[in-house]
Amino acid sequence: MIDFNQRSSEKEIMDDLACDGPVLDQTLKELKSINKLLGGNHVTTDGLDKITAKFPQASYTIADIGCGGGDMIRVMGDWAIKKNLNLHFIGVDANPNTIEFAKERLADLNNVEFLVKNVFEAGFLGTKVDIITCTLFTHHFTDSELQMLLKSLLDQAKLGIVINDLHRHSVAYYSITLLTRFFSKSDMVKNDGPLSVLRAFSRADWKELLKHSQIKSYAIKWFWAFRWQVIVWNS
């Protein structure tokens, strides 16, 4: 019997920073398709709409933490073109193999730089940026790790943070289990997809995390399909 009341602490295969090769490539390609299919990318760009509307500027620097294969940087770049905004991106990931994959996929863009960094190193970005985004990233950490991370991110974001992550829910769990079982060619996706839901959040979880991170200015909104948008304002 699965307990959906508590976050799972089981590690995903993707948490292994030595992960590389065809398995990683297939996984990142499938994750891109799943996010597009389920409409999860809109959660991040909607958050950017809100922050840029509140703080209008000619240009913004956005650090995408846990950037993976660079899919969200591509999505945000396309969004910026439609909005006529000038963006500079910093893609950050702890896995150097993933960063190399992202560099290849975004080789046509001249407004992106990449950092291989441990996000728990103090001031890991080396400078403050306007906005920090995290998509399907925060569920990889324990509550205590997240509290430290949120404080660190807020110290490095001038305007705010946009978090896009999963809602821990039985419907989400069984749906992704079936979807990956029948359509995925990646053992990593079949394992990590359902597990990521079990490691994800309820609204109450986010409220407690933000409270213990001493963050008071924030907004939490639910999106289909089973996503949370958390915006933290640095103002």
Side-chain angles (χ1 to χ4, degrees):
M1 189 75 171
I2 297 174
D3 182 7
F4 291 98
N5 293 314
Q6 301 291 331
R7 296 186 63 209
S8 171
S9 60
E10 184 180 348
K11 291 293 186 181
E12 296 177 40
I13 298 173
M14 188 174 284
D15 292 328
D16 181 359
L17 298 182
C19 185
D20 192 11
V23 173
L24 179 63
D25 291 357
Q26 181 66 26
T27 296
L28 293 174
K29 289 174 182 176
E30 288 191 13
L31 289 176
K32 176 181 179 181
S33 300
I34 290 171
N35 289 333
K36 184 176 181 180
L37 174 67
L38 298 180
N41 295 336
H42 172 67
V43 179
T44 297
T45 54
D46 178 84
L48 292 180
D49 272 325
K50 293 169 181 172
I51 290 184
T52 56
K54 184 174 182 178
F55 301 107
Q57 298 177 181
S59 63
Y60 300 86
T61 297
I62 297 177
D64 190 40
I65 310 301
C67 68
D71 300 329
M72 190 51 62
I73 292 176
R74 175 76 68 183
V75 169
M76 291 189 288
D78 292 343
W79 167 85
I81 292 172
K82 294 177 183 177
K83 295 289 182 176
N84 197 29
L85 291 174
N86 181 21
L87 301 187
H88 176 75
F89 295 103
I90 303 173
V92 182
D93 204 286
N95 187 333
N97 304 310
T98 303
I99 287 291
E100 289 305 311
F101 188 81
K103 286 180 179 179
E104 292 178 11
R105 294 174 76 171
L106 301 179
D108 59 307
L109 301 182
N110 59 10
N111 61 338
V112 185
E113 61 179 295
F114 293 96
L115 296 175
V116 178
K117 288 290 184 178
N118 178 345
V119 296
F120 292 100
E121 293 179 2
F124 65 90
L125 285 174
T127 185
K128 283 198 171 187
V129 297
D130 296 304
I131 302 168
I132 291 177
T133 58
C134 308
T135 300
L136 300 180
F137 179 66
T138 50
H139 70 263
H140 289 276
F141 304 105
T142 66
D143 288 358
S144 59
E145 288 171 335
L146 272 175
Q147 290 165 27
M148 290 188 293
L149 181 60
L150 287 168
K151 292 175 183 177
S152 173
L153 296 184
L154 193 58
D155 285 342
Q156 298 178 82
K158 297 176 185 177
L159 307 180
I161 305 165
V162 179
I163 298 170
N164 170 358
D165 217 322
L166 301 168
H167 176 195
R168 187 179 68 254
H169 192 282
S170 59
V171 173
Y173 174 80
Y174 291 114
S175 296
I176 197 66
T177 298
L178 288 173
L179 179 66
T180 55
R181 179 181 298 169
F182 289 109
F183 296 103
S184 174
K185 297 178 181 178
S186 166
D187 289 337
M188 188 188 298
V189 170
K190 291 177 182 178
N191 178 81
D192 287 4
L195 180 54
S196 65
V197 176
L198 297 181
R199 296 184 64 174
F201 309 93
S202 66
R203 184 184 293 272
D205 290 334
W206 273 119
K207 287 184 176 180
E208 281 297 303
L209 284 165
L210 293 162
K211 175 184 176 182
H212 289 292
S213 303
Q214 299 169 347
I215 292 173
K216 297 180 180 179
S217 183
Y218 65 85
I220 303 172
K221 184 177 180 181
W222 188 90
F223 282 75
W224 176 261
F226 294 94
R227 293 288 183 101
W228 292 115
Q229 176 195 79
V230 180
I231 300 178
V232 176
W233 306 97
N234 200 352
S235 175

